[in-house]
Amino acid sequence: MSPAPHGLGPYVESWKPDAVVEDDMLSPGPVAALSAVLDLPEPAAEAGGDLPPLWHWLHFPQWPAQRDLGDDGHPRHGHFLPPLPRRQRMFAGGRFEAERPLLVGEATRRISSVGATAVKQGSTGELLFVTVRSEYVQQGRTCVVEEQDLVYRSGRGALAHPEALDTAAVPDSDEEWRLRLTPDPTLLFRFSALTANAHRIHYDAPYARDEEGYPGLVVHGPLLVLAMLELARRNAPGRPVRSVAYRLRRPAFAGEHLLAAGTPSGDGATLRVATHREQRHATAEVTFA
C-alpha cells in the first residue's frame, strides 16, 4: 500500500471530534473472566472492591456492526479514528493516574476527548500521533484519568520482524519481581473477546503472516501492560497504584516465552516485558499512593 500522496496534515486539519460521554456499571463478570484467563486462583476483585489499575479496559466495550469492520477486523469508522486513507493504527503507550480506585459494580461515567494531535516524520514515512484523554467518574467524583497515545499511518510501513519464532528459548532475570507468561492462540482469542478487539492479527494466523508480515499471532499490547501491572498487584498488594506511565516498543508473538520483570523502589517500581530476543517489548513506571 502506498502512503497518502500529499502528507497526513491536510486530512486532519479540521478534524476536531467532540467529547464522548458513556456509562457502564463495571460489572464483576469481566473481572472474573480475565482472572480466569490469567489463571488466578480467584477473581482479582468482587463487587464493591477496588478494580485493579487499567482493568477498566474490560469495560465500556465498543461493538460495531459486522458490516462496519474492515478487512483487518478494525472498525472502518469511529468517533476518535482520524480520517486518513488506508488507515493503520498502533497503540504506542499511555499514562494513568488514580485519585482513588474505581469500584467494581459501581455506576461509572467515562468522558473522552482528543487531547492532542501531531504529524511527525518517522523512519518509514509520516505518522499521526493522537492522544485520547478519558476521565472516569463515580459518585460525582473523578477517580481516574487516563491518556492513550495512538499512532496512525496511511498504508503499511516496512517494519522488521523475525522470520521465524524460537518457542523454546526462555528469558531470565535477577530482578526481584518476575512473572512468566507464554501466550497461546487460545489465550489471545479469549483476551480479544474480553476487550472487544476484532483485529485479526491476534487470532487469525494466516492473515497475520500473509497480509501483515508477522511471523505469528501478535500478543495484544494491553495484555503486556496488564502483565507488568500484575507484578505490582501480586508483590505489593497493600500499596495502591497512584500512577502508571507505559510504553509499547516491540511486538511479541504467540508461543514465545515472556518474562515480566520489575524492580521496586521506595515509592514505585520499574517494570518491563522481555523475550529471549528483546529486553524491552514494553516498559512501565509505577508510583504508589
Side-chain angles (χ1 to χ4, degrees):
M1 293 184 183
S2 58
H6 304 297
L8 302 185
Y11 291 98
V12 294
E13 285 176 348
S14 61
W15 181 64
K16 295 179 175 59
D18 295 332
V20 172
V21 178
E22 302 162 282
D23 294 296
D24 194 297
M25 286 300 298
L26 301 195
S27 164
V31 177
L34 180 59
S35 300
V37 169
L38 297 178
D39 277 331
L40 303 185
E42 58 187 17
E46 303 280 0
D50 294 348
L51 186 70
L54 293 178
W55 282 44
H56 64 261
W57 286 344
L58 304 175
H59 300 279
F60 299 90
Q62 303 295 316
W63 286 98
Q66 194 70 15
R67 63 180 176 274
D68 293 331
L69 299 180
D71 292 339
D72 60 358
H74 268 314
R76 297 181 190 274
H77 310 288
H79 190 74
F80 293 126
L81 295 178
L84 302 180
R86 302 178 298 281
R87 181 182 56 236
Q88 299 292 316
R89 174 185 180 273
M90 295 167 282
F91 186 17
R95 292 153 300 284
F96 164 94
E97 187 165 351
E99 182 66 27
R100 64 175 182 177
L102 293 168
L103 298 178
V104 177
E106 184 80 20
T108 308
R109 173 157 290 185
R110 179 171 72 180
I111 305 139
S112 302
S113 59
V114 170
T117 62
V119 175
K120 299 181 181 180
Q121 185 68 36
S123 59
T124 59
E126 280 194 336
L127 302 171
L128 173 66
F129 290 76
V130 177
T131 297
V132 176
R133 185 179 190 273
S134 297
E135 298 180 11
Y136 292 82
V137 179
Q138 288 185 336
Q139 300 178 356
R141 178 178 175 181
T142 299
C143 301
V144 165
V145 176
E146 181 189 14
E147 291 184 337
Q148 291 187 358
D149 299 326
L150 307 171
V151 182
Y152 297 90
R153 69 168 68 250
S154 179
R156 296 195 182 112
L159 301 178
H161 303 297
E163 293 184 2
L165 298 177
D166 185 342
T167 58
V170 178
D172 207 356
S173 169
D174 58 2
E175 288 160 280
E176 184 174 341
W177 294 352
R178 294 183 297 276
L179 174 65
R180 298 193 180 277
L181 182 67
T182 307
D184 62 13
T186 304
L187 189 153
L188 298 187
F189 176 82
R190 297 175 83 190
F191 190 79
S192 287
L194 276 173
T195 54
N197 184 345
H199 196 181
R200 291 169 65 183
I201 63 173
H202 303 304
Y203 59 86
D204 185 339
Y207 174 85
R209 288 192 300 265
D210 300 339
E211 298 297 328
E212 301 257 4
Y214 293 112
L217 295 176
V218 180
V219 179
H220 308 69
L223 181 57
L224 299 180
V225 177
L226 292 176
M228 289 189 291
L229 288 177
E230 274 296 285
L231 292 169
R233 195 186 70 82
R234 298 183 187 192
N235 292 283
R239 305 192 68 183
V241 170
R242 178 61 184 269
S243 67
V244 181
Y246 58 91
R247 183 177 176 187
L248 298 167
R249 299 171 180 270
R250 297 284 188 276
F253 303 100
E256 291 190 296
H257 292 274
L258 308 184
L259 173 67
T263 301
S265 60
D267 59 353
T270 299
L271 313 173
R272 66 187 178 98
V273 173
T275 62
H276 70 285
R277 59 183 174 82
E278 175 67 50
Q279 291 297 306
R280 288 173 173 80
H281 288 275
T283 56
E285 296 287 337
V286 167
T287 59
F288 296 114

